[in-house]
Amino acid sequence: MKVKTFQRTLCLQPTQFSIGLLEVEFKVKELKSLKPRKLKKIIRNAPVPVVISPWKDLCIIDHHHFVFACWHADIARVKVKVV
């Protein structure tokens, strides 16, 4: 299955059911404080590792806090890497 490099944040399925919301809140503030150019660089250089499920879903195996923070910071797409 061919996977696009950049995926919509809400299309990614979590594999971790609970996350620390304080860490997410901190990351949201950090992301919102960045200038657009710096934010693009961070997203481009920090791919989210995913696996493809038997149902063809992309499942996050790491960086759960980052993806959730991106969603809260209105970042529509993140870079993914199939591992």
Side-chain angles (χ1 to χ4, degrees), residues 32-69:
K32 285 185 174 183
S33 71
L34 296 173
K35 293 181 180 178
R37 189 173 184 172
K38 179 75 172 176
L39 182 60
K40 282 184 180 182
K41 184 178 179 182
I42 287 174
I43 291 172
R44 187 177 62 240
N45 293 332
V48 177
V50 297
V51 294
I52 302 171
S53 77
W55 304 276
K56 308 295 187 233
D57 292 326
L58 296 178
C59 298
I60 305 167
I61 59 171
D62 199 6
H63 302 310
H64 294 83
H65 293 95
F66 176 71
V67 173
F68 198 48

Side-chain angles (χ1 to χ4, degrees), residues 1-77:
M1 176 177 156
K2 185 163 172 79
V3 176
K4 293 181 182 179
T5 304
F6 286 88
Q7 293 289 327
R8 289 183 17 183
T9 307
L10 289 179
C11 290
L12 303 174
Q13 302 293 321
T15 55
Q16 181 176 332
F17 295 106
S18 63
I19 61 172
L21 292 180
L22 287 176
E23 185 174 345
V24 172
E25 185 179 332
F26 175 78
K27 287 183 183 286
V28 169
K29 288 178 184 176
E30 184 180 358
L31 291 172
K32 285 185 174 183
S33 71
L34 296 173
K35 293 181 180 178
R37 189 173 184 172
K38 179 75 172 176
L39 182 60
K40 282 184 180 182
K41 184 178 179 182
I42 287 174
I43 291 172
R44 187 177 62 240
N45 293 332
V48 177
V50 297
V51 294
I52 302 171
S53 77
W55 304 276
K56 308 295 187 233
D57 292 326
L58 296 178
C59 298
I60 305 167
I61 59 171
D62 199 6
H63 302 310
H64 294 83
H65 293 95
F66 176 71
V67 173
F68 198 48
C70 286
W71 178 69
H72 279 287
D74 297 322
I75 298 169
R77 294 181 181 275

